[in-house]
PDB file of all heavy atoms in Angstrom:
ATOM      1  N   LYS A   1      39.452  39.662 194.283  1.00  0.00           N
ATOM      2  CA  LYS A   1      39.380  39.704 192.818  1.00  0.00           C
ATOM      3  C   LYS A   1      39.114  38.316 192.243  1.00  0.00           C
ATOM      4  O   LYS A   1      38.326  38.165 191.309  1.00  0.00           O
ATOM      5  CB  LYS A   1      40.675  40.285 192.238  1.00  0.00           C
ATOM      6  CG  LYS A   1      40.794  41.774 192.448  1.00  0.00           C
ATOM      7  CD  LYS A   1      42.064  42.310 191.820  1.00  0.00           C
ATOM      8  CE  LYS A   1      42.138  43.809 191.972  1.00  0.00           C
ATOM      9  NZ  LYS A   1      43.361  44.356 191.371  1.00  0.00           N
ATOM     10  N   THR A   2      39.754  37.293 192.792  1.00  0.00           N
ATOM     11  CA  THR A   2      39.536  35.920 192.347  1.00  0.00           C
ATOM     12  C   THR A   2      38.091  35.508 192.592  1.00  0.00           C
ATOM     13  O   THR A   2      37.427  34.950 191.711  1.00  0.00           O
ATOM     14  CB  THR A   2      40.490  34.947 193.081  1.00  0.00           C
ATOM     15  OG1 THR A   2      41.841  35.334 192.807  1.00  0.00           O
ATOM     16  CG2 THR A   2      40.262  33.513 192.636  1.00  0.00           C
ATOM     17  N   MET A   3      37.593  35.789 193.792  1.00  0.00           N
ATOM     18  CA  MET A   3      36.235  35.378 194.141  1.00  0.00           C
ATOM     19  C   MET A   3      35.178  36.189 193.399  1.00  0.00           C
ATOM     20  O   MET A   3      34.069  35.695 193.185  1.00  0.00           O
ATOM     21  CB  MET A   3      36.016  35.454 195.653  1.00  0.00           C
ATOM     22  CG  MET A   3      36.802  34.407 196.434  1.00  0.00           C
ATOM     23  SD  MET A   3      36.625  32.706 195.813  1.00  0.00           S
ATOM     24  CE  MET A   3      34.867  32.444 196.023  1.00  0.00           C
ATOM     25  N   ASN A   4      35.483  37.400 192.975  1.00  0.00           N
ATOM     26  CA  ASN A   4      34.545  38.172 192.158  1.00  0.00           C
ATOM     27  C   ASN A   4      34.217  37.437 190.865  1.00  0.00           C
ATOM     28  O   ASN A   4      33.125  37.559 190.335  1.00  0.00           O
ATOM     29  CB  ASN A   4      35.114  39.555 191.814  1.00  0.00           C
ATOM     30  CG  ASN A   4      35.015  40.535 192.973  1.00  0.00           C
ATOM     31  OD1 ASN A   4      34.304  40.309 193.949  1.00  0.00           O
ATOM     32  ND2 ASN A   4      35.752  41.623 192.876  1.00  0.00           N
ATOM     33  N   LYS A   5      35.166  36.641 190.369  1.00  0.00           N
ATOM     34  CA  LYS A   5      34.987  35.905 189.118  1.00  0.00           C
ATOM     35  C   LYS A   5      34.227  34.597 189.319  1.00  0.00           C
ATOM     36  O   LYS A   5      33.611  34.096 188.393  1.00  0.00           O
ATOM     37  CB  LYS A   5      36.344  35.595 188.490  1.00  0.00           C
ATOM     38  CG  LYS A   5      37.108  36.819 188.063  1.00  0.00           C
ATOM     39  CD  LYS A   5      38.478  36.454 187.561  1.00  0.00           C
ATOM     40  CE  LYS A   5      39.303  37.705 187.322  1.00  0.00           C
ATOM     41  NZ  LYS A   5      40.728  37.423 187.185  1.00  0.00           N
ATOM     42  N   GLN A   6      34.292  34.017 190.525  1.00  0.00           N
ATOM     43  CA  GLN A   6      33.719  32.680 190.693  1.00  0.00           C
ATOM     44  C   GLN A   6      32.726  32.570 191.838  1.00  0.00           C
ATOM     45  O   GLN A   6      32.232  31.476 192.104  1.00  0.00           O
ATOM     46  CB  GLN A   6      34.834  31.643 190.851  1.00  0.00           C
ATOM     47  CG  GLN A   6      35.666  31.762 192.117  1.00  0.00           C
ATOM     48  CD  GLN A   6      36.836  30.794 192.102  1.00  0.00           C
ATOM     49  OE1 GLN A   6      37.702  30.871 191.238  1.00  0.00           O
ATOM     50  NE2 GLN A   6      36.852  29.869 193.045  1.00  0.00           N
ATOM     51  N   GLY A   7      32.428  33.662 192.505  1.00  0.00           N
ATOM     52  CA  GLY A   7      31.476  33.583 193.622  1.00  0.00           C
ATOM     53  C   GLY A   7      31.531  34.827 194.478  1.00  0.00           C
ATOM     54  O   GLY A   7      31.515  35.929 193.957  1.00  0.00           O
ATOM     55  N   SER A   8      31.633  34.622 195.796  1.00  0.00           N
ATOM     56  CA  SER A   8      31.657  35.766 196.699  1.00  0.00           C
ATOM     57  C   SER A   8      32.649  35.516 197.833  1.00  0.00           C
ATOM     58  O   SER A   8      33.024  34.390 198.113  1.00  0.00           O
ATOM     59  CB  SER A   8      30.264  36.001 197.294  1.00  0.00           C
ATOM     60  OG  SER A   8      29.883  34.901 198.105  1.00  0.00           O
ATOM     61  N   MET A   9      33.051  36.622 198.461  1.00  0.00           N
ATOM     62  CA  MET A   9      33.960  36.544 199.593  1.00  0.00           C
ATOM     63  C   MET A   9      33.434  37.429 200.704  1.00  0.00           C
ATOM     64  O   MET A   9      32.960  38.537 200.445  1.00  0.00           O
ATOM     65  CB  MET A   9      35.368  36.995 199.202  1.00  0.00           C
ATOM     66  CG  MET A   9      36.375  36.870 200.342  1.00  0.00           C
ATOM     67  SD  MET A   9      38.032  37.352 199.849  1.00  0.00           S
ATOM     68  CE  MET A   9      38.077  39.010 200.498  1.00  0.00           C
ATOM     69  N   LYS A  10      33.518  36.915 201.930  1.00  0.00           N
ATOM     70  CA  LYS A  10      33.116  37.688 203.101  1.00  0.00           C
ATOM     71  C   LYS A  10      34.247  37.648 204.111  1.00  0.00           C
ATOM     72  O   LYS A  10      34.964  36.648 204.206  1.00  0.00           O
ATOM     73  CB  LYS A  10      31.853  37.107 203.735  1.00  0.00           C
ATOM     74  CG  LYS A  10      30.645  37.175 202.839  1.00  0.00           C
ATOM     75  CD  LYS A  10      29.435  36.548 203.487  1.00  0.00           C
ATOM     76  CE  LYS A  10      28.270  36.632 202.522  1.00  0.00           C
ATOM     77  NZ  LYS A  10      27.584  35.381 202.363  1.00  0.00           N
ATOM     78  N   VAL A  11      34.387  38.743 204.859  1.00  0.00           N
ATOM     79  CA  VAL A  11      35.356  38.800 205.936  1.00  0.00           C
ATOM     80  C   VAL A  11      34.557  38.872 207.230  1.00  0.00           C
ATOM     81  O   VAL A  11      33.748  39.784 207.412  1.00  0.00           O
ATOM     82  CB  VAL A  11      36.294  40.015 205.791  1.00  0.00           C
ATOM     83  CG1 VAL A  11      37.347  40.000 206.886  1.00  0.00           C
ATOM     84  CG2 VAL A  11      36.955  40.026 204.415  1.00  0.00           C
ATOM     85  N   ALA A  12      34.750  37.889 208.109  1.00  0.00           N
ATOM     86  CA  ALA A  12      33.935  37.773 209.316  1.00  0.00           C
ATOM     87  C   ALA A  12      34.744  38.056 210.576  1.00  0.00           C
ATOM     88  O   ALA A  12      35.963  37.869 210.601  1.00  0.00           O
ATOM     89  CB  ALA A  12      33.344  36.367 209.393  1.00  0.00           C
ATOM     90  N   ASN A  13      34.031  38.483 211.618  1.00  0.00           N
ATOM     91  CA  ASN A  13      34.595  38.648 212.959  1.00  0.00           C
ATOM     92  C   ASN A  13      35.813  39.572 212.996  1.00  0.00           C
ATOM     93  O   ASN A  13      36.834  39.240 213.604  1.00  0.00           O
ATOM     94  CB  ASN A  13      34.953  37.280 213.557  1.00  0.00           C
ATOM     95  CG  ASN A  13      33.776  36.340 213.589  1.00  0.00           C
ATOM     96  OD1 ASN A  13      32.691  36.711 213.986  1.00  0.00           O
ATOM     97  ND2 ASN A  13      33.981  35.104 213.153  1.00  0.00           N
ATOM     98  N   VAL A  14      35.696  40.720 212.361  1.00  0.00           N
ATOM     99  CA  VAL A  14      36.804  41.675 212.298  1.00  0.00           C
ATOM    100  C   VAL A  14      36.843  42.492 213.595  1.00  0.00           C
ATOM    101  O   VAL A  14      35.836  43.077 213.990  1.00  0.00           O
ATOM    102  CB  VAL A  14      36.644  42.613 211.073  1.00  0.00           C
ATOM    103  CG1 VAL A  14      37.754  43.637 211.032  1.00  0.00           C
ATOM    104  CG2 VAL A  14      36.603  41.793 209.787  1.00  0.00           C
ATOM    105  N   ASN A  15      38.020  42.543 214.237  1.00  0.00           N
ATOM    106  CA  ASN A  15      38.137  43.330 215.467  1.00  0.00           C
ATOM    107  C   ASN A  15      38.313  44.816 215.141  1.00  0.00           C
ATOM    108  O   ASN A  15      38.486  45.199 213.976  1.00  0.00           O
ATOM    109  CB  ASN A  15      39.274  42.807 216.360  1.00  0.00           C
ATOM    110  CG  ASN A  15      40.649  43.002 215.741  1.00  0.00           C
ATOM    111  OD1 ASN A  15      40.923  43.963 215.035  1.00  0.00           O
ATOM    112  ND2 ASN A  15      41.547  42.067 216.020  1.00  0.00           N
ATOM    113  N   ASP A  16      38.268  45.655 216.144  1.00  0.00           N
ATOM    114  CA  ASP A  16      38.327  47.111 215.947  1.00  0.00           C
ATOM    115  C   ASP A  16      39.629  47.563 215.297  1.00  0.00           C
ATOM    116  O   ASP A  16      39.630  48.450 214.451  1.00  0.00           O
ATOM    117  CB  ASP A  16      38.139  47.841 217.282  1.00  0.00           C
ATOM    118  CG  ASP A  16      36.725  47.696 217.823  1.00  0.00           C
ATOM    119  OD1 ASP A  16      35.817  47.347 217.038  1.00  0.00           O
ATOM    120  OD2 ASP A  16      36.527  47.925 219.028  1.00  0.00           O
ATOM    121  N   THR A  17      40.741  46.948 215.670  1.00  0.00           N
ATOM    122  CA  THR A  17      42.045  47.327 215.118  1.00  0.00           C
ATOM    123  C   THR A  17      42.097  47.077 213.617  1.00  0.00           C
ATOM    124  O   THR A  17      42.490  47.946 212.840  1.00  0.00           O
ATOM    125  CB  THR A  17      43.178  46.539 215.818  1.00  0.00           C
ATOM    126  OG1 THR A  17      43.102  46.761 217.229  1.00  0.00           O
ATOM    127  CG2 THR A  17      44.535  46.953 215.311  1.00  0.00           C
ATOM    128  N   VAL A  18      41.692  45.878 213.206  1.00  0.00           N
ATOM    129  CA  VAL A  18      41.715  45.525 211.783  1.00  0.00           C
ATOM    130  C   VAL A  18      40.674  46.346 211.026  1.00  0.00           C
ATOM    131  O   VAL A  18      40.926  46.812 209.908  1.00  0.00           O
ATOM    132  CB  VAL A  18      41.506  44.009 211.590  1.00  0.00           C
ATOM    133  CG1 VAL A  18      41.359  43.644 210.122  1.00  0.00           C
ATOM    134  CG2 VAL A  18      42.659  43.228 212.210  1.00  0.00           C
ATOM    135  N   MET A  19      39.503  46.578 211.628  1.00  0.00           N
ATOM    136  CA  MET A  19      38.463  47.375 210.973  1.00  0.00           C
ATOM    137  C   MET A  19      38.945  48.797 210.726  1.00  0.00           C
ATOM    138  O   MET A  19      38.664  49.376 209.676  1.00  0.00           O
ATOM    139  CB  MET A  19      37.180  47.374 211.819  1.00  0.00           C
ATOM    140  CG  MET A  19      35.994  47.916 211.075  1.00  0.00           C
ATOM    141  SD  MET A  19      35.602  46.850 209.648  1.00  0.00           S
ATOM    142  CE  MET A  19      34.604  47.957 208.689  1.00  0.00           C
ATOM    143  N   GLU A  20      39.686  49.336 211.668  1.00  0.00           N
ATOM    144  CA  GLU A  20      40.228  50.690 211.488  1.00  0.00           C
ATOM    145  C   GLU A  20      41.184  50.729 210.303  1.00  0.00           C
ATOM    146  O   GLU A  20      41.160  51.671 209.501  1.00  0.00           O
ATOM    147  CB  GLU A  20      40.950  51.136 212.766  1.00  0.00           C
ATOM    148  CG  GLU A  20      41.397  52.576 212.699  1.00  0.00           C
ATOM    149  CD  GLU A  20      42.024  53.054 214.007  1.00  0.00           C
ATOM    150  OE1 GLU A  20      41.704  52.491 215.073  1.00  0.00           O
ATOM    151  OE2 GLU A  20      42.821  53.994 213.943  1.00  0.00           O
ATOM    152  N   ILE A  21      41.997  49.682 210.153  1.00  0.00           N
ATOM    153  CA  ILE A  21      42.905  49.600 209.002  1.00  0.00           C
ATOM    154  C   ILE A  21      42.094  49.506 207.710  1.00  0.00           C
ATOM    155  O   ILE A  21      42.413  50.170 206.719  1.00  0.00           O
ATOM    156  CB  ILE A  21      43.871  48.400 209.159  1.00  0.00           C
ATOM    157  CG1 ILE A  21      44.820  48.650 210.337  1.00  0.00           C
ATOM    158  CG2 ILE A  21      44.652  48.142 207.876  1.00  0.00           C
ATOM    159  CD1 ILE A  21      45.602  47.435 210.794  1.00  0.00           C
ATOM    160  N   PHE A  22      41.019  48.694 207.711  1.00  0.00           N
ATOM    161  CA  PHE A  22      40.144  48.600 206.538  1.00  0.00           C
ATOM    162  C   PHE A  22      39.545  49.956 206.192  1.00  0.00           C
ATOM    163  O   PHE A  22      39.455  50.322 205.015  1.00  0.00           O
ATOM    164  CB  PHE A  22      39.016  47.593 206.781  1.00  0.00           C
ATOM    165  CG  PHE A  22      39.407  46.141 206.669  1.00  0.00           C
ATOM    166  CD1 PHE A  22      38.504  45.157 207.016  1.00  0.00           C
ATOM    167  CD2 PHE A  22      40.655  45.752 206.211  1.00  0.00           C
ATOM    168  CE1 PHE A  22      38.830  43.802 206.903  1.00  0.00           C
ATOM    169  CE2 PHE A  22      41.002  44.412 206.107  1.00  0.00           C
ATOM    170  CZ  PHE A  22      40.087  43.441 206.451  1.00  0.00           C
ATOM    171  N   GLU A  23      39.115  50.708 207.188  1.00  0.00           N
ATOM    172  CA  GLU A  23      38.486  52.007 206.946  1.00  0.00           C
ATOM    173  C   GLU A  23      39.486  53.021 206.416  1.00  0.00           C
ATOM    174  O   GLU A  23      39.195  53.741 205.458  1.00  0.00           O
ATOM    175  CB  GLU A  23      37.814  52.513 208.227  1.00  0.00           C
ATOM    176  CG  GLU A  23      36.563  51.712 208.568  1.00  0.00           C
ATOM    177  CD  GLU A  23      36.004  52.002 209.951  1.00  0.00           C
ATOM    178  OE1 GLU A  23      36.629  52.753 210.723  1.00  0.00           O
ATOM    179  OE2 GLU A  23      34.927  51.455 210.261  1.00  0.00           O
ATOM    180  N   VAL A  24      40.676  53.083 207.007  1.00  0.00           N
ATOM    181  CA  VAL A  24      41.697  54.051 206.591  1.00  0.00           C
ATOM    182  C   VAL A  24      42.166  53.779 205.157  1.00  0.00           C
ATOM    183  O   VAL A  24      42.411  54.706 204.392  1.00  0.00           O
ATOM    184  CB  VAL A  24      42.890  54.033 207.579  1.00  0.00           C
ATOM    185  CG1 VAL A  24      44.076  54.806 207.029  1.00  0.00           C
ATOM    186  CG2 VAL A  24      42.469  54.588 208.924  1.00  0.00           C
ATOM    187  N   THR A  25      42.263  52.506 204.796  1.00  0.00           N
ATOM    188  CA  THR A  25      42.772  52.143 203.474  1.00  0.00           C
ATOM    189  C   THR A  25      41.685  52.076 202.399  1.00  0.00           C
ATOM    190  O   THR A  25      41.985  51.900 201.224  1.00  0.00           O
ATOM    191  CB  THR A  25      43.466  50.754 203.522  1.00  0.00           C
ATOM    192  OG1 THR A  25      42.527  49.790 203.994  1.00  0.00           O
ATOM    193  CG2 THR A  25      44.683  50.793 204.417  1.00  0.00           C
ATOM    194  N   GLY A  26      40.411  52.181 202.803  1.00  0.00           N
ATOM    195  CA  GLY A  26      39.317  52.085 201.843  1.00  0.00           C
ATOM    196  C   GLY A  26      38.838  50.667 201.610  1.00  0.00           C
ATOM    197  O   GLY A  26      37.912  50.430 200.829  1.00  0.00           O
ATOM    198  N   PHE A  27      39.470  49.691 202.257  1.00  0.00           N
ATOM    199  CA  PHE A  27      39.064  48.299 202.089  1.00  0.00           C
ATOM    200  C   PHE A  27      37.661  48.041 202.628  1.00  0.00           C
ATOM    201  O   PHE A  27      36.966  47.143 202.164  1.00  0.00           O
ATOM    202  CB  PHE A  27      40.061  47.353 202.765  1.00  0.00           C
ATOM    203  CG  PHE A  27      41.213  46.972 201.878  1.00  0.00           C
ATOM    204  CD1 PHE A  27      42.113  47.920 201.427  1.00  0.00           C
ATOM    205  CD2 PHE A  27      41.399  45.656 201.492  1.00  0.00           C
ATOM    206  CE1 PHE A  27      43.171  47.568 200.611  1.00  0.00           C
ATOM    207  CE2 PHE A  27      42.462  45.297 200.665  1.00  0.00           C
ATOM    208  CZ  PHE A  27      43.351  46.263 200.216  1.00  0.00           C
ATOM    209  N   ALA A  28      37.227  48.847 203.598  1.00  0.00           N
ATOM    210  CA  ALA A  28      35.887  48.685 204.158  1.00  0.00           C
ATOM    211  C   ALA A  28      34.821  48.889 203.076  1.00  0.00           C
ATOM    212  O   ALA A  28      33.731  48.343 203.156  1.00  0.00           O
ATOM    213  CB  ALA A  28      35.675  49.659 205.316  1.00  0.00           C
ATOM    214  N   ASP A  29      35.172  49.666 202.047  1.00  0.00           N
ATOM    215  CA  ASP A  29      34.221  49.950 200.967  1.00  0.00           C
ATOM    216  C   ASP A  29      34.182  48.848 199.906  1.00  0.00           C
ATOM    217  O   ASP A  29      33.197  48.736 199.179  1.00  0.00           O
ATOM    218  CB  ASP A  29      34.569  51.282 200.287  1.00  0.00           C
ATOM    219  CG  ASP A  29      34.477  52.454 201.235  1.00  0.00           C
ATOM    220  OD1 ASP A  29      33.648  52.405 202.173  1.00  0.00           O
ATOM    221  OD2 ASP A  29      35.241  53.422 201.059  1.00  0.00           O
ATOM    222  N   ILE A  30      35.247  48.058 199.791  1.00  0.00           N
ATOM    223  CA  ILE A  30      35.296  47.061 198.728  1.00  0.00           C
ATOM    224  C   ILE A  30      35.105  45.632 199.231  1.00  0.00           C
ATOM    225  O   ILE A  30      34.838  44.738 198.438  1.00  0.00           O
ATOM    226  CB  ILE A  30      36.592  47.148 197.888  1.00  0.00           C
ATOM    227  CG1 ILE A  30      37.833  46.952 198.772  1.00  0.00           C
ATOM    228  CG2 ILE A  30      36.667  48.455 197.140  1.00  0.00           C
ATOM    229  CD1 ILE A  30      39.113  46.836 197.985  1.00  0.00           C
ATOM    230  N   LEU A  31      35.238  45.420 200.540  1.00  0.00           N
ATOM    231  CA  LEU A  31      35.052  44.095 201.108  1.00  0.00           C
ATOM    232  C   LEU A  31      33.681  43.965 201.735  1.00  0.00           C
ATOM    233  O   LEU A  31      33.108  44.954 202.198  1.00  0.00           O
ATOM    234  CB  LEU A  31      36.105  43.818 202.188  1.00  0.00           C
ATOM    235  CG  LEU A  31      37.578  43.811 201.765  1.00  0.00           C
ATOM    236  CD1 LEU A  31      38.461  43.629 202.992  1.00  0.00           C
ATOM    237  CD2 LEU A  31      37.854  42.733 200.743  1.00  0.00           C
ATOM    238  N   THR A  32      33.150  42.758 201.763  1.00  0.00           N
ATOM    239  CA  THR A  32      31.910  42.486 202.497  1.00  0.00           C
ATOM    240  C   THR A  32      32.312  42.022 203.882  1.00  0.00           C
ATOM    241  O   THR A  32      32.803  40.907 204.053  1.00  0.00           O
ATOM    242  CB  THR A  32      31.076  41.400 201.776  1.00  0.00           C
ATOM    243  OG1 THR A  32      30.827  41.827 200.447  1.00  0.00           O
ATOM    244  CG2 THR A  32      29.781  41.144 202.508  1.00  0.00           C
ATOM    245  N   VAL A  33      32.149  42.914 204.855  1.00  0.00           N
ATOM    246  CA  VAL A  33      32.524  42.606 206.231  1.00  0.00           C
ATOM    247  C   VAL A  33      31.256  42.246 206.998  1.00  0.00           C
ATOM    248  O   VAL A  33      30.303  43.027 207.043  1.00  0.00           O
ATOM    249  CB  VAL A  33      33.246  43.795 206.899  1.00  0.00           C
ATOM    250  CG1 VAL A  33      33.641  43.450 208.334  1.00  0.00           C
ATOM    251  CG2 VAL A  33      34.477  44.196 206.093  1.00  0.00           C
ATOM    252  N   ILE A  34      31.262  41.038 207.577  1.00  0.00           N
ATOM    253  CA  ILE A  34      30.060  40.597 208.329  1.00  0.00           C
ATOM    254  C   ILE A  34      30.413  40.370 209.792  1.00  0.00           C
ATOM    255  O   ILE A  34      31.568  40.274 210.157  1.00  0.00           O
ATOM    256  CB  ILE A  34      29.461  39.302 207.734  1.00  0.00           C
ATOM    257  CG1 ILE A  34      30.504  38.179 207.670  1.00  0.00           C
ATOM    258  CG2 ILE A  34      28.900  39.576 206.359  1.00  0.00           C
ATOM    259  CD1 ILE A  34      29.944  36.831 207.310  1.00  0.00           C
TER     260      ILE A  34
END
C-alpha cells in the first residue's frame, strides 16, 4: 500500500511453500511476484 503511493513493489524468488500461501490468501493476485 505504501509503495502504491510512491512507486512499485516486487516480490522476488518466492519458493513453493510461500507461493502456496500467497495463492490461498489471494496475495498472488495483488502482489507482483517475479
